């Protein structure tokens, strides 16, 4: 079983090395600034988020920065957190 630090490093790399530059610029800074604060269940949810297609993720996150509900309900908390971060930080898709 991997320890928390190894897991955080792995998830950070996955966040920065997406299929699209837009998602790199949204998920990478989020991982750098927020991931260490997440509980283990929140990390589980974030990892499931990282399994999603970049084009879907981008649409869901940018819709949420505009206040629209988007994405699968089971990923709601993770999508909302990333969208709040993106909206505050001025990253692509931010309000």
């Amino acid at each position: 079983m991997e320890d928390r630090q190894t897991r955080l490093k792995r998830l950070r790399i996955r966040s920065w090395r997406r299929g699209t530059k837009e998602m790199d610029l949204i998920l990478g800074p989020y991982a750098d600034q927020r991931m260490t604060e997440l509980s283990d269940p929140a990390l589980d949810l974030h990892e499931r988020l990282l399994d999603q297609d970049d084009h879907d993720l981008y649409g869901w996150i940018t819709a949420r920065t505009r206040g629209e509900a988007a994405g699968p309900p089971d990923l709601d908390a993770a999508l909302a957190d990333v969208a709040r971060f993106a909206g505050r930080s001025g990253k692509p898709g931010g309000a």
Side-chain angles (χ1 to χ4, degrees):
M1 176 174 257
E2 86 187 327
D3 63 43
R4 183 171 172 86
Q5 289 305 320
T6 302
R7 184 180 191 196
L8 289 169
K9 183 177 179 181
R10 179 176 54 79
L11 293 177
R12 183 174 176 266
I13 289 168
R14 285 188 66 197
S15 296
W16 272 107
R17 293 193 174 104
R18 302 295 305 173
T20 64
K21 190 64 170 173
E22 293 85 357
M23 290 312 302
D24 291 349
L25 294 174
I26 292 171
L27 293 175
Y30 174 87
D32 288 348
Q33 294 181 31
R34 288 274 299 128
M35 204 173 302
T36 58
E37 302 169 9
L38 298 180
S39 66
D40 287 337
L43 278 177
D44 293 342
L45 189 58
H46 186 73
E47 190 161 8
R48 287 186 29 231
L49 186 83
L50 294 176
D51 290 337
Q52 305 304 305
D53 178 76
D54 275 3
H55 295 287
D56 291 337
L57 274 177
Y58 185 77
W60 299 334
I61 291 168
T62 56
R64 284 170 176 264
T65 63
R66 296 186 305 268
E68 302 168 17
D74 60 319
L75 296 175
D76 187 61
L79 287 167
D81 194 43
V82 171
R84 275 190 303 274
F85 177 84
R88 283 193 310 261
S89 64
K91 300 297 178 214

